[in-house]
Amino acid sequence: MISDIRVEGLQRISAGSVFAAMPINVGDRLDQFAVRDAIRSLFRTGNFDDIQIQLEGTVLVVLVQERPSISEIKIEGNKAIETKALLEGLKKAGLAEGQVFKRSTLEGMRMELARQYVSQGRYDASIDTDVSAQPRNRVAINIDIDEGSTAAIKHIGIIGNSVYDDKLLLDEFELKSTGWFSWISGNDKYAREKLRGDLEKLNSYYLDRGYIQFNVDSTQVSITPERDAVYISTNVSEGEKYTVGKVDLSGDIVLSEEELRPFVLVQPGQTFSQALVTNTEDLLTKRLGNEGYNFAKVSGIPDVDEETKTVDIKLFVDPGKRTYVRRISFRGNNRTADEVLRREMRQMESAPASSAQIELSRIRLERLGFFKEAKIQTDEVPGTDDMIDLQYSVEEQPSGSIGASIGFSQDSGILLGANLQQNNFLGTGKQVGIGVNKSNYLTNIRFSYVNPYFTEDGVSRGFSVFYRKADLEEINVASYTTDTIGASLSFGYPIKETQQLGFAFTLSNTEIQAGIGAVQEIIASPRTIKGVGSYYTSEFNTTTGLYNNPEVLQPFDAMANSGLLADGVAPGFLDLYGDDYNNLTTTLSWTQSTLNRGQLATRGASQSVAFEISVPGSDLEYWKLTYNGQIFFPLTQSLTLRLRTELGYGGGYGDLEHLPFYENFFGGGFGSVRGFKSNTLGPRSTPANLYRLGVATTGLVGDANDTDCGGDADSNGICDSSGRVIGTARTRAGEFSYVVDPNTGKIIVDPDYNDDDPFGGDVLVEVGAELLFPLPFIKDQRSLRTAFFIDGGNVFSTNCGASQLNCSNVDFNELRYSVGFGLTWISGFGPLTFSVAKALNAGDRDRTEFFQFSLGRGF
């Protein structure tokens, strides 16, 4: 009988762990079977390399040799497989820092790692391991990897195919034989997983085209002795082409067949397609899930008729039991009130559990922008088999910001701003914003408030007050400044899950300041100038060649073009309607969006229509109609086609014949037709016709018969080219007048104001196509967009002035086009966008720009 048990040789492991693992206790009788069982139990723990049991009298002595613990694991030389992934694999196998070292496990991992490299086509890869002892019974493991080089595919062949040739089938493969661009794409590097995937694609290709008995008989992969080249051969049997016979629904069809039939894509007489059968199974499963049958299963069972070469398909429906939602709860919303989340729910409590409504509710939570992500957990209610509880887990993120911004835009110059924005004010889901922004052309101050659930039905209400001052000459538009202050009230009415009607009312005061040399369409010229000092005007007599009544004195002010218009000059907009307007406008809009992202979307479509009209009685009565649309078409897994358009049309009514010039549409630059300078497309203005001013000159006097030019008392005579006197000048200090050409007798027009600036128009037409593609070597493409694009568009006018240049009514032959490459990156410094574009059909007066960019930074 054992009186005591003593354990010797322990260093890290406690004696209690040994006693717990041994089937022998004090007081037990000892025999060879008990000793054998004790040794086996201790070895089974994996903590010991050697175990001996001895008996000293009635004391049982257990001598152990502990296995060392792992103090460090170093991996060097790996590139194809990341170190993190290797360490994770070692940990799962039982090799990690702090664990007991097992050499057999290390050897097994070395062999498995070698097989992984072989599956990647790295046949010359080698893995060396070194285990070095350290104090306190520890070891350090060093794994040195030589990945070698990937064997290149020299040839891929398909044997047994007659319906489709090798080229057509190999186009479906991801693996390719070595070509000109293989060094970039790497598609000639053999990998077992890629080959397996390509064979699946080959099988699907035939099954989707009616060859239901197609089979890949065998595949041979041959390696050259140097292990640097691979040859692949695949043997196939195509079989015969089959068509679809009967298509029946069977099983427990809980819905009427009329409700399910629209979701059956495969139809009698079609060429058999496994893809259509699979899609039909998915659609029917989702349809049943929408009715609460969340565990429904639909299986398409084919019945092949060899004689008629047809396939009858039986869609077997197993709906399972209908489930209901007992309770919906939320977790993780520490700052956001439950009410804000609950009003986004489309799945109701006590209603059948609709998989579509459950998922839509999750998506709506993520669209709020308050949470990084939202997850769903479904729990069965104990004691029932037809009820579930839903728990939405959210991870909150900052939904507001306070800070400053600095940036640069090629169009607007330096951008400065300070903003306070809280989209989830005090956890209520309401939006409050205050902003002050300044650039070369724009000063903008605003305060806004939006309640997205002004009513329980989801009607939103918002208001804002704003002040905006814009110098349009700074962004390539005619010389004038708008100074606007106003307030707006808006409502949004959801009419469908993805559609909304909007109503907005804006009261504003706008003051227009015409710049020096403002164009004719804004304020007409030439005109007399009045103010400080004086000048003389004369009427030139074409019969006598003299100026009549030279002593008519007029006031003069060099700071204002506010004198009388010359005869026959048509008045400009400010001449007719003044320069200060109080307007009340209302806007009706409709928006629809199925985009998959708020920024840099890659799927779905969006469109919006807005009609803005000033209320009768406003100082200016006008209207504008705009349409914006875009749609994404996935071409392949990595390529997407984006089509876009923007259309606009406006006009005046009542006393106003045309759209106010400061409401005109403009084209060119980012968001329009890249490759053309911003806002420069379309109609040009008529340059100002300003007289050149001189100092200390007076009216002109003279005599048609006086041929003494400068020889008489009138020493200040003005002569024509023949030497005949046509007038004299009398100087008076502090006086100004126009400068006269002595050869023609006409007042000289100042040449500094002869630019025909872009003026915009009342019709906008823009279209564009972009081929979106991912950049190679960049894993996360979510914040990056690259595209080849074709842009087209122009601005037209239905009321071109007689002297306007580059102006025409709508003419699609006058659309401007450009092609190029663009990139947008949502970086840590803010959004950065640039493009390089070539204008294809620029007109003589169009301004092109090959490189365009915009950069913003927040801090």
Side-chain angles (χ1 to χ4, degrees), residues 132-202:
S132 56
Q134 292 187 332
R136 301 193 304 278
N137 197 29
R138 298 181 303 157
V139 295
I141 301 175
N142 297 309
I143 302 176
D144 187 16
I145 300 174
D146 181 4
E147 294 182 331
S149 58
T150 304
I153 301 172
K154 296 302 181 182
H155 177 73
I156 304 177
I158 300 176
I159 302 171
N161 57 306
S162 59
V163 179
Y164 303 110
D165 59 29
D166 285 10
K167 184 179 184 305
L168 182 64
L169 298 177
L170 291 177
D171 284 343
E172 300 293 315
F173 280 36
E174 182 179 355
L175 293 177
K176 308 288 183 182
S177 57
T178 302
W180 287 102
F181 299 101
S182 296
W183 65 277
I184 298 177
S185 63
N187 56 11
D188 66 335
K189 306 304 181 184
Y190 172 75
R192 185 183 304 163
E193 290 78 8
K194 290 183 179 180
L195 178 59
R196 188 179 297 116
D198 286 342
L199 295 179
E200 288 293 333
K201 292 179 183 177
L202 182 63

Side-chain angles (χ1 to χ4, degrees), residues 721-732:
S721 57
S722 63
R724 186 164 59 95
V725 174
I726 61 173
T728 59
R730 301 174 183 173
T731 61
R732 296 182 183 178

Side-chain angles (χ1 to χ4, degrees), residues 62 448 608:
V62 181
S448 63
S608 65

